[in-house]
Amino acid sequence: MRIALAGLQHETNTFAPGLTEAEDFLAPGGWPKQSRGDEIRTVLAGTSVPMAGALRVLNETDVTATPLLWTMALPSGRVRHAAFEALADEIAGRLQDQLPVDGLFLELHGAMATTEDDDAEGALLEKLRALVGPDLPIVVALDLHTNLSARMVAAADQMFAYLTYPHIDMADTGARAMQRLLEFVQGAPRPAKAFRQMPYLLPLVAQGTGSSPVDGLYRTAAARSGVDTMITLGFPLADVPDAGPALVVYAENQDVADAAADETLQQWTQAEPHFQARLCTAAQGVAQAMQSGKPPVVIADVQDNPGGGGSNDTTGLLRALIEAKATGALMVHIADGAAAKSAVDAGVGAVLDIDVGGRTDPGTGAPVPGPWRVAAVGDGQFTGVGPMYAGASIEMGPVALLEQQGVRVIVAEKRMQASEPALIHHLGLDPAELPILCVKSSVHFRGAYEKMASQIILVAAPGRVTMDLASLKYTRSRRRPASA
Ligand SMILES: [Zn+2]
């Protein structure tokens, strides 16, 4: 018995400038590199991505795993359609070469949009379904931020989304999906499906699965017996028709699926006024943090989250720290390859008259001028220890710790969401001992820092991962921002 596996992930922020190109899929910061065939087993071994969990399940059976292609790009602007088509064609071609197989496992993000198609995963799934015919079981592991479409639902026998945000169950989601695929392969009946979309868009900071009302809504859905409910919360920075939260109920017949889907949709619709996105300005957040005597206060720069397509180099919060003389505070991190290289070349102890950050988006804070003292440097190569990247070999390019008036900032060549403490350890610091730890992240930072933080403050410095969805000009989305 043989099962084919493929993975293609991109979360597209259609409001972000620029296109995502084929080369952006080769070696995304913090994530495994693009890999093919049996090489995938080695590249993904010990990592937290869904296909690693799926392969783990297959290793315990006598089923043969046939990995085809695994690739991911960091969240960014629309994918150049030709780049998407080349990857989709390669997956289809490699699958065709392996036919006949007994089942197909896919790891997809679910919120990829190209320059020509707002629903790239729908297109890929239709293509693969057409290739294998109606009977071959297909299961899909999806990100919680999927913008779910009817064609995705139709083409897959069952889909499984992460249950957590921060995403600490990515590999487990792949494992769950693979277990169900094995049941289908062994003859379990395919379920009936009922697909519903919630009538609103949710900002990222309102989507944490540890916060109300999301936690209670997830518990209610999981407790319903006799059905499997998949919920996706959507990626709102995408002006596409299917952006927003959605659900699919899988059940033994259509009536049961429809009844459960209608009831769950009603619960989510009634919850709309309770989704909160409380934010303060960077100056207010820094002032509040400086009043705390207990380390670390974590300040999240939620609108410059590279995991949502942020530039990772806005300077609003860094400037607020310097203006307030927040001695001992650390900003993680500013993606500024030129500054990192200058610091590594000059060495520890050097004082540099260079600008830091503020290079990408006008209006999100000007570069912060020197003098900057180089406090530590590194090669940016380390192994992840946090709940999202544990075991992953991370390559950030040259990195440095810079200091000005007691305020410290990590600069690195690559973008990466601040959910990985190993970057801080790499430069000789312990996050638990910092008076103020500033992170460029909306929610994922909580996986690494929520337990150690004495306080968490969310600030809205200018950045392209806006939480104020009403400020965006949607023209294609069928849904409106939630009114809290
Ligand atoms: Zn996600």
Side-chain angles (χ1 to χ4, degrees):
M1 197 174 280
R2 292 162 70 238
I3 289 191
L5 305 94
L8 172 57
Q9 286 220 39
H10 185 252
E11 180 180 81
T12 304
N13 181 335
T14 67
F15 297 97
L19 296 186
T20 302
E21 306 284 358
E23 52 266 32
D24 294 319
F25 284 87
L26 297 178
W31 297 102
K33 63 172 184 164
Q34 187 174 96
S35 48
R36 297 173 164 75
D38 279 337
E39 173 201 24
I40 292 172
R41 295 172 203 273
T42 321
V43 170
L44 299 190
T47 70
S48 57
V49 303
M51 202 194 286
L55 287 168
R56 201 175 62 216
V57 169
L58 283 187
N59 283 344
E60 289 159 14
T61 70
D62 53 9
V63 176
T64 303
T66 306
L68 307 172
L69 173 72
W70 187 93
T71 189
M72 176 190 277
L74 289 182
S76 44
R78 280 183 186 268
V79 179
R80 185 183 295 282
H81 192 69
F84 162 71
E85 275 198 323
L87 292 169
D89 286 348
E90 181 175 348
I91 291 171
R94 286 175 172 270
L95 176 60
Q96 181 133 40
D97 290 345
Q98 296 295 335
L99 293 177
V101 295
D102 299 282
L104 175 61
F105 167 92
L106 294 170
E107 169 192 326
L108 304 174
H109 184 284
M112 188 192 311
T114 77
T115 45
E116 292 176 28
D117 196 328
D118 285 342
D119 177 19
E121 284 92 349
L124 174 64
L125 276 161
E126 279 186 347
K127 181 190 196 81
L128 298 177
R129 175 56 82 192
L131 178 65
V132 299
D135 297 329
L136 188 88
I138 300 178
V139 299
V140 185
L142 290 171
D143 194 281
L144 171 144
H145 295 111
T146 289
N147 287 327
L148 197 61
S149 70
R151 45 179 197 165
M152 290 171 67
V153 175
D157 292 292
Q158 191 160 348
M159 299 193 281
F160 294 82
Y162 308 155
L163 297 171
T164 58
Y165 182 29
H167 305 330
I168 56 172
D169 67 332
M170 296 184 288
D172 288 347
T173 301
R176 284 193 297 137
M178 181 54 78
Q179 273 151 359
R180 181 55 49 87
L181 179 58
L182 290 174
E183 290 167 16
F184 289 148
V185 169
Q186 284 152 11
R190 316 293 167 83
K193 309 163 189 170
F195 170 51
R196 304 286 187 272
Q197 292 177 316
M198 286 64 142
Y200 46 75
L201 299 163
L202 285 179
L204 293 177
V205 290
Q207 295 187 2
T209 52
S211 314
S212 176
V214 175
D215 55 355
L217 290 162
Y218 266 65
R219 275 198 301 274
T220 303
R224 183 183 284 275
S225 63
V227 302
D228 281 341
T229 305
M230 182 187 77
I231 294 164
T232 48
L233 296 182
F235 183 64
L237 302 173
D239 187 16
V240 299
D242 291 303
L247 64 99
V248 186
V249 174
Y250 297 98
E252 63 181 15
N253 68 56
Q254 197 61 48
D255 288 347
V256 170
D258 280 329
D262 287 339
E263 197 175 311
T264 305
L265 176 64
Q266 189 185 25
Q267 289 159 356
W268 281 81
T269 304
Q270 286 170 347
E272 180 176 344
H274 304 293
F275 292 103
Q276 300 263 353
R278 277 194 217 96
L279 303 173
C280 59
T281 66
Q284 287 166 339
V286 171
Q288 188 184 329
M290 289 173 72
Q291 284 164 14
S292 168
K294 200 162 168 253
V297 177
V298 175
I299 304 180
D301 194 358
V302 298
Q303 299 196 132
D304 189 27
N305 167 12
S311 64
N312 212 154
D313 77 337
T314 70
T315 57
L317 180 53
L318 179 59
R319 285 177 170 275
L321 292 169
I322 293 170
E323 276 161 26
K325 300 187 169 55
T327 304
L330 174 70
M331 160 67 73
V332 183
H333 74 276
I334 300 258
D336 187 330
K341 186 169 184 309
S342 300
V344 169
D345 288 348
V348 174
V351 176
L352 303 175
D353 193 17
I354 55 169
D355 288 346
V356 166
R359 297 181 199 273
T360 310
D361 291 343
T364 59
V368 181
W372 292 100
R373 188 181 67 85
V374 182
V377 296
D379 62 9
Q381 296 184 22
F382 49 87
T383 301
V385 296
M388 285 190 72
Y389 297 98
S393 298
I394 296 171
E395 296 189 5
M396 299 283 293
V399 298
L401 179 67
L402 304 179
E403 183 265 326
Q404 177 175 147
Q405 297 180 56
V407 172
R408 295 173 289 186
V409 57
I410 293 175
V411 289
E413 181 186 326
K414 290 197 177 174
R415 293 192 302 145
M416 180 181 174
Q417 187 160 184
S419 57
E420 182 42 70
L423 173 60
I424 301 174
H425 300 151
H426 182 64
L427 290 165
L429 297 175
D430 180 350
E433 292 175 355
L434 299 166
I436 300 175
L437 169 60
C438 297
V439 292
K440 288 189 176 285
S441 172
S442 305
V443 174
H444 280 321
F445 73 92
R446 291 178 183 273
Y449 303 120
E450 191 154 42
K451 285 202 186 94
M452 73 170 73
S454 63
Q455 194 184 150
I456 289 175
I457 301 168
L458 308 182
V459 302
R464 64 166 85 133
V465 186
T466 183
M467 298 300 148
D468 179 14
L469 301 182
S471 70
L472 294 173
K473 198 164 172 284
Y474 290 99
T475 58
R476 299 155 87 94
S477 170
R478 286 195 290 259
R479 293 178 263 174
R480 53 169 174 75
S483 50

